[in-house]
Each structure stands twice: as structure tokens, then as C-alpha cells.
Amino acid sequence: LGSAFYDAWRDFSNNEAYPKAQELRKQETEHKPAKFRVLPAESALPAEGVLDHERASWIARQARKIAIAQCPCRRRERRCDTERRTCMFFDELADYGIAHGAAEAIELDEALAILEWASRQGLVHDTENIPHPRVICNCCPDCCAFLRPVVAYGFDLPVETSRYQARLDESRCTGCGACIERCNFGALKSGDGHPLLHSDKCIGCGLCAVACPEGALGLEITREVSFSETGAQLGSF
């Protein structure tokens, strides 16, 4: 596909699709769980209380087949030079992508390595809000259809946050600011010697914890299990 197609797709997304979706969400009288959810960086998760489908590695390990594809959002927006070979398909979606030349089969070890690399690079895992997801997106704030509307335009997050929020151990924090630089949503701001956490802006991705060289940040459960399970009752995307 030529650049003219991607230019038109980019313009439609930013000028029509994102604003229209935001307006529809404002008109909703009750919360409807989104079809996608934030999947926390696995190294940031607490030792206890984590559900299986909240672990990217568990999703990958359950799959019969895994495929990797080019990120359509980065191909459309072209606002960063982040690696594009990051969209992960599972089972029947992997079969479809491979059969149509849109994805290539990979082994579990490579899939796990890509997931770990993505977290270190500051990419947010997003996945279907169902018990056995068929896709994991590794999203950047510059291009992603889930993140760009929030970061660029201040729109509401179009996916469900995780059940977690960041927690800071001030005794271990050196005030280096790595977490502030990493957070795309303004949940961490400069404070008096250590970052200030704005929990209302935290989506529970855990990337701040991955970036912290002192291990001063981690994730803690702040929502009931039902918060995650509600979306898990949705049908196919």
C-alpha cells in the first residue's frame, strides 16, 4: 500500500474517528467495558493476587500458534521510528494472518523475548478484554489508536485500565526522574525529592517500574477482581 493510503487513514483517524469516539463515550449513561484492556508489564506485577490472564507470558504460553505482524498504527501514523514488528497474534488469528501473508509464525521463546523487549522500550501492552485473548499489541504513545487520542488530544482512555496502580517506595527513590520521563499519562510529576503520584491518571501499565533503576516503583492491586472480570464477559472483537 502506498503512502497516500496511509496519509488518508491517518487523517481520518485523527480528524474524524478519534473525536467521534470521544463524543460517543461522553453520551453514554453507564460504563460499558471496552473490548481491549491494558496488560501490565509483567516484571512490575506484585507477588500475589495476579490473575492468569493478566500475565502476557501466560497468554502466549496458552496459544497453539503465535504469529508476529507489523504494527498498523505505526505504519499509519509514522510519527516515530519505533520497531513495527510488534503485533502478536494467537491461534485462529495467527492462522489467518499467516495464511494471508500479514504475519509470520514465531516460537514461544521469541514471543516472550519480544514482550520483555517491548516493556523495556516503554511500549504499553494492550490485549482483548476476554479470558483467552487472540492478540497483544505493544503500543507507543505517538501512533497507537489506543494511546494517541489520550496523549495528543486529552481524550478518555478508550481501553480498560488494568486492576493495578503504581506505588512508590520513597525510601528507595533517588529522584532520578526516569519514571517521570517514561510515564505517558502524567501520572508521575516532579516533587520535593521524589515523584508525586497522581493515581487518577495511572492506567496500571507498570512501565514506570520497569524504568526505575532502584526498584522503587511497583504495581499494587487497587480494584476488585470483578473490575477485570466484567470485561472478560465480552464477545469477540
Side-chain angles (χ1 to χ4, degrees), residues 15-70:
N15 300 327
E16 298 185 47
Y18 296 161
K20 181 63 174 179
Q22 172 74 352
E23 184 60 32
L24 289 174
R25 281 195 293 274
K26 287 182 177 180
Q27 294 174 8
E28 291 179 352
T29 57
E30 61 180 357
H31 176 71
K32 297 179 181 179
K35 292 187 176 182
F36 268 68
R37 58 183 166 86
V38 172
L39 189 62
E42 198 153 340
S43 63
L45 287 169
E48 298 180 354
V50 180
L51 303 176
D52 284 341
H53 68 270
E54 294 174 318
R55 295 186 185 275
S57 65
W58 181 87
I59 296 172
R61 292 179 190 280
Q62 299 304 303
R64 167 183 53 81
K65 183 174 288 186
I66 308 173
I68 197 74
Q70 297 282 319

Short mmCIF file of all heavy atoms in Angstrom, two decimals, residues 15-70:
data_model
loop_
_atom_site.label_atom_id
_atom_site.label_comp_id
_atom_site.label_asym_id
_atom_site.label_seq_id
_atom_site.Cartn_x
_atom_site.Cartn_y
_atom_site.Cartn_z
N ASN A 15 -8.80 13.16 12.67
CA ASN A 15 -9.76 14.26 12.49
C ASN A 15 -11.22 13.83 12.61
O ASN A 15 -12.08 14.67 12.88
CB ASN A 15 -9.54 14.92 11.13
CG ASN A 15 -8.15 15.51 10.99
OD1 ASN A 15 -7.57 15.98 11.96
ND2 ASN A 15 -7.61 15.47 9.78
N GLU A 16 -11.48 12.54 12.44
CA GLU A 16 -12.86 12.09 12.48
C GLU A 16 -13.09 10.95 13.48
O GLU A 16 -13.97 11.06 14.35
CB GLU A 16 -13.30 11.63 11.08
CG GLU A 16 -13.27 12.75 10.04
CD GLU A 16 -13.82 12.29 8.70
OE1 GLU A 16 -14.90 11.65 8.68
OE2 GLU A 16 -13.16 12.55 7.67
N ALA A 17 -12.33 9.88 13.37
CA ALA A 17 -12.61 8.69 14.19
C ALA A 17 -12.40 8.95 15.67
O ALA A 17 -13.26 8.63 16.50
CB ALA A 17 -11.74 7.52 13.72
N TYR A 18 -11.24 9.52 16.06
CA TYR A 18 -10.97 9.76 17.48
C TYR A 18 -11.98 10.72 18.11
O TYR A 18 -12.56 10.43 19.17
CB TYR A 18 -9.56 10.30 17.68
CG TYR A 18 -8.45 9.36 17.28
CD1 TYR A 18 -7.16 9.84 17.03
CD2 TYR A 18 -8.65 7.98 17.15
CE1 TYR A 18 -6.12 8.99 16.66
CE2 TYR A 18 -7.63 7.13 16.78
CZ TYR A 18 -6.36 7.64 16.55
OH TYR A 18 -5.34 6.80 16.18
N PRO A 19 -12.24 11.91 17.49
CA PRO A 19 -13.23 12.82 18.09
C PRO A 19 -14.63 12.22 18.18
O PRO A 19 -15.34 12.44 19.16
CB PRO A 19 -13.20 14.03 17.15
CG PRO A 19 -11.85 13.98 16.50
CD PRO A 19 -11.56 12.51 16.34
N LYS A 20 -15.02 11.46 17.15
CA LYS A 20 -16.34 10.85 17.17
C LYS A 20 -16.46 9.82 18.29
O LYS A 20 -17.47 9.78 19.01
CB LYS A 20 -16.62 10.18 15.82
CG LYS A 20 -18.00 9.52 15.71
CD LYS A 20 -19.11 10.55 15.84
CE LYS A 20 -20.47 9.92 15.60
NZ LYS A 20 -21.58 10.89 15.74
N ALA A 21 -15.43 9.00 18.47
CA ALA A 21 -15.45 8.00 19.54
C ALA A 21 -15.51 8.67 20.90
O ALA A 21 -16.22 8.22 21.81
CB ALA A 21 -14.21 7.11 19.44
N GLN A 22 -14.79 9.78 21.08
CA GLN A 22 -14.81 10.51 22.34
C GLN A 22 -16.20 11.07 22.61
O GLN A 22 -16.70 10.99 23.73
CB GLN A 22 -13.78 11.65 22.30
CG GLN A 22 -13.83 12.61 23.48
CD GLN A 22 -13.27 12.01 24.75
OE1 GLN A 22 -12.98 10.82 24.81
NE2 GLN A 22 -13.11 12.83 25.77
N GLU A 23 -16.83 11.60 21.60
CA GLU A 23 -18.17 12.16 21.77
C GLU A 23 -19.18 11.07 22.14
O GLU A 23 -20.05 11.27 23.01
CB GLU A 23 -18.61 12.86 20.48
CG GLU A 23 -19.95 13.57 20.59
CD GLU A 23 -19.96 14.66 21.65
OE1 GLU A 23 -18.90 15.28 21.89
OE2 GLU A 23 -21.03 14.87 22.27
N LEU A 24 -19.07 9.91 21.53
CA LEU A 24 -19.98 8.81 21.85
C LEU A 24 -19.80 8.35 23.28
O LEU A 24 -20.77 8.02 23.97
CB LEU A 24 -19.76 7.65 20.88
CG LEU A 24 -20.22 7.88 19.43
CD1 LEU A 24 -19.80 6.72 18.54
CD2 LEU A 24 -21.72 8.08 19.38
N ARG A 25 -18.54 8.31 23.76
CA ARG A 25 -18.30 7.91 25.16
C ARG A 25 -18.92 8.92 26.13
O ARG A 25 -19.43 8.54 27.18
CB ARG A 25 -16.80 7.77 25.40
CG ARG A 25 -16.21 6.47 24.87
CD ARG A 25 -14.84 6.20 25.45
NE ARG A 25 -13.86 7.17 25.00
CZ ARG A 25 -13.17 7.07 23.86
NH1 ARG A 25 -13.38 6.03 23.07
NH2 ARG A 25 -12.28 7.97 23.52
N LYS A 26 -18.88 10.19 25.78
CA LYS A 26 -19.47 11.21 26.66
C LYS A 26 -20.98 11.06 26.74
O LYS A 26 -21.59 11.43 27.74
CB LYS A 26 -19.11 12.60 26.13
CG LYS A 26 -17.65 13.00 26.35
CD LYS A 26 -17.40 14.41 25.86
CE LYS A 26 -15.98 14.85 26.14
NZ LYS A 26 -15.72 16.23 25.65
N GLN A 27 -21.58 10.52 25.69
CA GLN A 27 -23.03 10.38 25.66
C GLN A 27 -23.53 9.14 26.40
O GLN A 27 -24.72 9.00 26.66
CB GLN A 27 -23.51 10.33 24.21
CG GLN A 27 -23.28 11.64 23.44
CD GLN A 27 -23.63 11.51 21.98
OE1 GLN A 27 -24.18 10.51 21.53
NE2 GLN A 27 -23.29 12.54 21.20
N GLU A 28 -22.62 8.23 26.75
CA GLU A 28 -23.02 7.01 27.43
C GLU A 28 -23.51 7.32 28.84
O GLU A 28 -22.89 8.09 29.57
CB GLU A 28 -21.84 6.03 27.50
CG GLU A 28 -21.46 5.46 26.14
CD GLU A 28 -20.26 4.52 26.25
OE1 GLU A 28 -19.67 4.44 27.34
OE2 GLU A 28 -19.92 3.89 25.23
N THR A 29 -24.62 6.73 29.23
CA THR A 29 -25.20 6.97 30.55
C THR A 29 -24.65 5.99 31.59
O THR A 29 -24.79 6.20 32.78
CB THR A 29 -26.73 6.84 30.51
OG1 THR A 29 -27.08 5.55 30.00
CG2 THR A 29 -27.31 7.92 29.60
N GLU A 30 -24.01 4.92 31.14
CA GLU A 30 -23.39 3.97 32.05
C GLU A 30 -22.12 3.43 31.40
O GLU A 30 -21.97 3.43 30.19
CB GLU A 30 -24.34 2.82 32.39
CG GLU A 30 -24.79 2.01 31.19
CD GLU A 30 -25.73 0.89 31.59
OE1 GLU A 30 -25.98 0.72 32.78
OE2 GLU A 30 -26.20 0.18 30.69
N HIS A 31 -21.20 2.98 32.26
CA HIS A 31 -19.93 2.49 31.75
C HIS A 31 -20.11 1.15 31.04
O HIS A 31 -20.70 0.23 31.59
CB HIS A 31 -18.92 2.32 32.89
CG HIS A 31 -17.63 1.71 32.45
ND1 HIS A 31 -16.72 2.40 31.68
CD2 HIS A 31 -17.09 0.48 32.67
CE1 HIS A 31 -15.67 1.62 31.45
NE2 HIS A 31 -15.88 0.45 32.04
N LYS A 32 -19.61 1.09 29.82
CA LYS A 32 -19.60 -0.17 29.08
C LYS A 32 -18.15 -0.61 28.94
O LYS A 32 -17.34 0.11 28.37
CB LYS A 32 -20.22 0.04 27.69
CG LYS A 32 -21.68 0.46 27.72
CD LYS A 32 -22.20 0.67 26.30
CE LYS A 32 -23.66 1.10 26.33
NZ LYS A 32 -24.18 1.34 24.95
N PRO A 33 -17.81 -1.76 29.49
CA PRO A 33 -16.42 -2.22 29.42
C PRO A 33 -15.90 -2.24 27.98
O PRO A 33 -16.58 -2.71 27.07
CB PRO A 33 -16.47 -3.63 30.01
CG PRO A 33 -17.69 -3.61 30.89
CD PRO A 33 -18.68 -2.71 30.22
N ALA A 34 -14.71 -1.70 27.79
CA ALA A 34 -14.12 -1.66 26.46
C ALA A 34 -13.71 -3.06 26.02
O ALA A 34 -13.52 -3.97 26.84
CB ALA A 34 -12.91 -0.73 26.47
N LYS A 35 -13.52 -3.24 24.73
CA LYS A 35 -13.16 -4.55 24.20
C LYS A 35 -11.68 -4.84 24.32
O LYS A 35 -11.25 -5.97 24.06
CB LYS A 35 -13.60 -4.65 22.74
CG LYS A 35 -15.12 -4.67 22.58
CD LYS A 35 -15.52 -4.93 21.15
CE LYS A 35 -17.05 -5.05 21.04
NZ LYS A 35 -17.47 -5.36 19.65
N PHE A 36 -10.88 -3.84 24.68
CA PHE A 36 -9.46 -4.05 24.94
C PHE A 36 -9.13 -3.56 26.34
O PHE A 36 -9.86 -2.74 26.91
CB PHE A 36 -8.60 -3.31 23.91
CG PHE A 36 -8.23 -4.14 22.71
CD1 PHE A 36 -9.19 -4.55 21.81
CD2 PHE A 36 -6.91 -4.52 22.50
CE1 PHE A 36 -8.85 -5.32 20.71
CE2 PHE A 36 -6.56 -5.30 21.40
CZ PHE A 36 -7.53 -5.69 20.50
N ARG A 37 -8.03 -4.06 26.91
CA ARG A 37 -7.60 -3.65 28.24
C ARG A 37 -6.08 -3.53 28.29
O ARG A 37 -5.37 -4.15 27.49
CB ARG A 37 -8.06 -4.67 29.29
CG ARG A 37 -7.56 -6.09 29.05
CD ARG A 37 -8.11 -7.07 30.09
NE ARG A 37 -7.91 -8.46 29.71
CZ ARG A 37 -6.82 -9.17 29.97
NH1 ARG A 37 -5.80 -8.61 30.62
NH2 ARG A 37 -6.70 -10.44 29.59
N VAL A 38 -5.61 -2.75 29.24
CA VAL A 38 -4.18 -2.62 29.48
C VAL A 38 -3.67 -3.90 30.14
O VAL A 38 -4.28 -4.41 31.08
CB VAL A 38 -3.89 -1.40 30.37
CG1 VAL A 38 -2.43 -1.36 30.78
CG2 VAL A 38 -4.29 -0.11 29.66
N LEU A 39 -2.57 -4.39 29.64
CA LEU A 39 -1.93 -5.59 30.19
C LEU A 39 -0.62 -5.14 30.85
O LEU A 39 0.27 -4.64 30.17
CB LEU A 39 -1.66 -6.58 29.06
CG LEU A 39 -1.18 -7.98 29.39
CD1 LEU A 39 -2.23 -8.73 30.21
CD2 LEU A 39 -0.90 -8.74 28.09
N PRO A 40 -0.49 -5.27 32.15
CA PRO A 40 0.68 -4.72 32.85
C PRO A 40 2.00 -5.35 32.41
O PRO A 40 2.04 -6.53 32.02
CB PRO A 40 0.41 -5.04 34.33
CG PRO A 40 -1.05 -5.32 34.41
CD PRO A 40 -1.43 -5.92 33.10
N ALA A 41 3.06 -4.57 32.48
CA ALA A 41 4.40 -5.11 32.31
C ALA A 41 4.61 -6.17 33.38
O ALA A 41 4.45 -5.90 34.58
CB ALA A 41 5.44 -4.00 32.41
N GLU A 42 5.00 -7.34 32.99
CA GLU A 42 4.97 -8.48 33.92
C GLU A 42 5.95 -8.32 35.07
O GLU A 42 5.69 -8.73 36.20
CB GLU A 42 5.24 -9.77 33.15
CG GLU A 42 4.82 -11.00 33.90
CD GLU A 42 4.46 -12.15 32.98
OE1 GLU A 42 4.18 -11.92 31.79
OE2 GLU A 42 4.46 -13.29 33.46
N SER A 43 7.11 -7.72 34.82
CA SER A 43 8.11 -7.58 35.87
C SER A 43 7.67 -6.62 36.97
O SER A 43 8.25 -6.59 38.05
CB SER A 43 9.44 -7.10 35.28
OG SER A 43 9.30 -5.82 34.69
N ALA A 44 6.63 -5.82 36.70
CA ALA A 44 6.15 -4.86 37.69
C ALA A 44 5.03 -5.40 38.57
O ALA A 44 4.65 -4.77 39.56
CB ALA A 44 5.64 -3.59 36.98
N LEU A 45 4.52 -6.58 38.24
CA LEU A 45 3.38 -7.13 38.98
C LEU A 45 3.78 -7.57 40.38
O LEU A 45 4.92 -7.99 40.62
CB LEU A 45 2.81 -8.33 38.22
CG LEU A 45 2.02 -7.99 36.94
CD1 LEU A 45 1.74 -9.25 36.15
CD2 LEU A 45 0.73 -7.27 37.28
N PRO A 46 2.84 -7.51 41.32
CA PRO A 46 3.12 -7.97 42.69
C PRO A 46 3.25 -9.48 42.75
O PRO A 46 2.90 -10.20 41.81
CB PRO A 46 1.89 -7.49 43.48
CG PRO A 46 0.80 -7.42 42.46
CD PRO A 46 1.46 -6.99 41.18
N ALA A 47 3.74 -9.99 43.87
CA ALA A 47 4.00 -11.42 44.01
C ALA A 47 2.71 -12.22 44.17
O ALA A 47 2.68 -13.41 43.82
CB ALA A 47 4.91 -11.66 45.22
N GLU A 48 1.65 -11.59 44.67
CA GLU A 48 0.42 -12.33 44.94
C GLU A 48 -0.78 -11.61 44.35
O GLU A 48 -0.76 -10.39 44.16
CB GLU A 48 0.22 -12.49 46.45
CG GLU A 48 1.33 -13.30 47.13
CD GLU A 48 1.09 -13.44 48.62
OE1 GLU A 48 0.14 -12.82 49.13
OE2 GLU A 48 1.85 -14.17 49.27
N GLY A 49 -1.84 -12.37 44.07
CA GLY A 49 -3.11 -11.82 43.65
C GLY A 49 -3.27 -11.59 42.16
O GLY A 49 -4.31 -11.10 41.72
N VAL A 50 -2.27 -11.96 41.37
CA VAL A 50 -2.32 -11.72 39.93
C VAL A 50 -3.13 -12.84 39.25
O VAL A 50 -2.91 -14.02 39.52
CB VAL A 50 -0.91 -11.66 39.33
CG1 VAL A 50 -0.97 -11.42 37.82
CG2 VAL A 50 -0.09 -10.58 40.01
N LEU A 51 -4.05 -12.46 38.38
CA LEU A 51 -4.83 -13.43 37.62
C LEU A 51 -4.04 -13.90 36.40
O LEU A 51 -3.22 -13.16 35.85
CB LEU A 51 -6.15 -12.80 37.17
CG LEU A 51 -7.04 -12.23 38.27
CD1 LEU A 51 -8.26 -11.56 37.66
CD2 LEU A 51 -7.47 -13.33 39.23
N ASP A 52 -4.31 -15.13 35.98
CA ASP A 52 -3.56 -15.68 34.85
C ASP A 52 -3.62 -14.77 33.63
O ASP A 52 -2.60 -14.49 32.99
CB ASP A 52 -4.11 -17.06 34.48
CG ASP A 52 -3.67 -18.14 35.45
OD1 ASP A 52 -2.68 -17.93 36.17
OD2 ASP A 52 -4.32 -19.20 35.49
N HIS A 53 -4.82 -14.32 33.26
CA HIS A 53 -4.96 -13.57 32.02
C HIS A 53 -4.44 -12.13 32.13
O HIS A 53 -4.54 -11.36 31.18
CB HIS A 53 -6.42 -13.59 31.53
CG HIS A 53 -7.38 -12.83 32.38
ND1 HIS A 53 -8.05 -13.40 33.44
CD2 HIS A 53 -7.79 -11.54 32.33
CE1 HIS A 53 -8.85 -12.51 33.99
NE2 HIS A 53 -8.71 -11.37 33.34
N GLU A 54 -3.85 -11.80 33.29
CA GLU A 54 -3.18 -10.51 33.43
C GLU A 54 -1.68 -10.62 33.16
O GLU A 54 -0.96 -9.62 33.22
CB GLU A 54 -3.41 -9.95 34.84
CG GLU A 54 -4.86 -9.61 35.12
CD GLU A 54 -5.11 -9.20 36.56
OE1 GLU A 54 -4.55 -9.84 37.47
OE2 GLU A 54 -5.86 -8.23 36.76
N ARG A 55 -1.21 -11.81 32.85
CA ARG A 55 0.19 -12.03 32.53
C ARG A 55 0.34 -12.26 31.02
O ARG A 55 -0.25 -13.19 30.46
CB ARG A 55 0.73 -13.26 33.27
CG ARG A 55 0.76 -13.10 34.79
CD ARG A 55 1.44 -14.30 35.42
NE ARG A 55 1.39 -14.26 36.87
CZ ARG A 55 2.27 -13.60 37.62
NH1 ARG A 55 3.25 -12.93 37.04
NH2 ARG A 55 2.16 -13.61 38.94
N ALA A 56 1.14 -11.42 30.38
CA ALA A 56 1.36 -11.58 28.94
C ALA A 56 1.97 -12.94 28.63
O ALA A 56 1.62 -13.58 27.62
CB ALA A 56 2.25 -10.45 28.43
N SER A 57 2.87 -13.41 29.49
CA SER A 57 3.52 -14.69 29.24
C SER A 57 2.52 -15.84 29.30
O SER A 57 2.63 -16.81 28.54
CB SER A 57 4.65 -14.92 30.25
OG SER A 57 4.14 -15.03 31.57
N TRP A 58 1.54 -15.75 30.19
CA TRP A 58 0.51 -16.80 30.29
C TRP A 58 -0.31 -16.86 29.01
O TRP A 58 -0.59 -17.95 28.49
CB TRP A 58 -0.40 -16.54 31.48
CG TRP A 58 -1.45 -17.59 31.68
CD1 TRP A 58 -1.34 -18.77 32.37
CD2 TRP A 58 -2.80 -17.57 31.16
NE1 TRP A 58 -2.52 -19.47 32.32
CE2 TRP A 58 -3.43 -18.76 31.58
CE3 TRP A 58 -3.50 -16.66 30.38
CZ2 TRP A 58 -4.75 -19.06 31.24
CZ3 TRP A 58 -4.82 -16.96 30.04
CH2 TRP A 58 -5.43 -18.15 30.48
N ILE A 59 -0.68 -15.69 28.49
CA ILE A 59 -1.45 -15.64 27.25
C ILE A 59 -0.67 -16.30 26.12
O ILE A 59 -1.20 -17.10 25.35
CB ILE A 59 -1.80 -14.18 26.89
CG1 ILE A 59 -2.72 -13.58 27.97
CG2 ILE A 59 -2.46 -14.10 25.52
CD1 ILE A 59 -2.96 -12.10 27.83
N ALA A 60 0.62 -15.99 26.03
CA ALA A 60 1.45 -16.56 24.98
C ALA A 60 1.63 -18.06 25.17
O ALA A 60 1.58 -18.83 24.19
CB ALA A 60 2.80 -15.86 24.95
N ARG A 61 1.81 -18.49 26.41
CA ARG A 61 2.05 -19.91 26.67
C ARG A 61 0.82 -20.77 26.39
O ARG A 61 0.95 -21.98 26.12
CB ARG A 61 2.50 -20.12 28.11
CG ARG A 61 3.89 -19.54 28.41
CD ARG A 61 4.27 -19.77 29.87
NE ARG A 61 5.46 -19.03 30.22
CZ ARG A 61 6.71 -19.41 29.96
NH1 ARG A 61 6.90 -20.55 29.32
NH2 ARG A 61 7.73 -18.67 30.32
N GLN A 62 -0.38 -20.20 26.48
CA GLN A 62 -1.60 -20.95 26.22
C GLN A 62 -1.86 -21.15 24.74
O GLN A 62 -2.70 -21.97 24.35
CB GLN A 62 -2.80 -20.23 26.85
CG GLN A 62 -2.74 -20.07 28.35
CD GLN A 62 -2.57 -21.38 29.07
OE1 GLN A 62 -3.37 -22.29 28.93
NE2 GLN A 62 -1.50 -21.49 29.85
N ALA A 63 -1.18 -20.39 23.91
CA ALA A 63 -1.51 -20.37 22.49
C ALA A 63 -1.03 -21.62 21.76
O ALA A 63 0.07 -22.12 22.01
CB ALA A 63 -0.90 -19.13 21.83
N ARG A 64 -1.84 -22.10 20.86
CA ARG A 64 -1.47 -23.20 19.96
C ARG A 64 -0.48 -22.72 18.90
O ARG A 64 0.43 -23.45 18.50
CB ARG A 64 -2.74 -23.76 19.30
CG ARG A 64 -2.50 -24.69 18.13
CD ARG A 64 -3.81 -25.13 17.50
NE ARG A 64 -4.68 -24.02 17.15
CZ ARG A 64 -4.55 -23.30 16.03
NH1 ARG A 64 -3.59 -23.55 15.16
NH2 ARG A 64 -5.40 -22.32 15.76
N LYS A 65 -0.69 -21.51 18.44
CA LYS A 65 0.19 -20.92 17.42
C LYS A 65 0.36 -19.44 17.71
O LYS A 65 -0.57 -18.77 18.18
CB LYS A 65 -0.39 -21.12 16.02
CG LYS A 65 0.51 -20.59 14.89
CD LYS A 65 -0.06 -20.94 13.52
CE LYS A 65 0.09 -22.42 13.25
NZ LYS A 65 -0.33 -22.77 11.85
N ILE A 66 1.55 -18.90 17.44
CA ILE A 66 1.85 -17.50 17.65
C ILE A 66 2.41 -16.92 16.36
O ILE A 66 3.22 -17.55 15.68
CB ILE A 66 2.89 -17.30 18.78
CG1 ILE A 66 2.46 -18.03 20.05
CG2 ILE A 66 3.09 -15.81 19.06
CD1 ILE A 66 3.50 -18.01 21.16
N ALA A 67 1.97 -15.71 16.02
CA ALA A 67 2.49 -15.02 14.84
C ALA A 67 2.79 -13.57 15.21
O ALA A 67 2.21 -13.01 16.14
CB ALA A 67 1.50 -15.09 13.69
N ILE A 68 3.69 -12.96 14.46
CA ILE A 68 4.06 -11.57 14.68
C ILE A 68 3.77 -10.79 13.40
O ILE A 68 3.96 -11.30 12.30
CB ILE A 68 5.55 -11.45 15.08
CG1 ILE A 68 5.85 -10.09 15.71
CG2 ILE A 68 6.47 -11.75 13.92
CD1 ILE A 68 5.31 -9.95 17.12
N ALA A 69 3.30 -9.55 13.56
CA ALA A 69 2.93 -8.74 12.41
C ALA A 69 3.41 -7.30 12.61
O ALA A 69 3.76 -6.89 13.71
CB ALA A 69 1.41 -8.76 12.22
N GLN A 70 3.40 -6.56 11.53
CA GLN A 70 3.75 -5.14 11.56
C GLN A 70 2.62 -4.36 12.25
O GLN A 70 1.44 -4.60 12.00
CB GLN A 70 3.93 -4.61 10.14
CG GLN A 70 5.07 -5.24 9.37
CD GLN A 70 6.42 -4.68 9.77
OE1 GLN A 70 6.57 -3.49 9.98
NE2 GLN A 70 7.40 -5.56 9.87
#
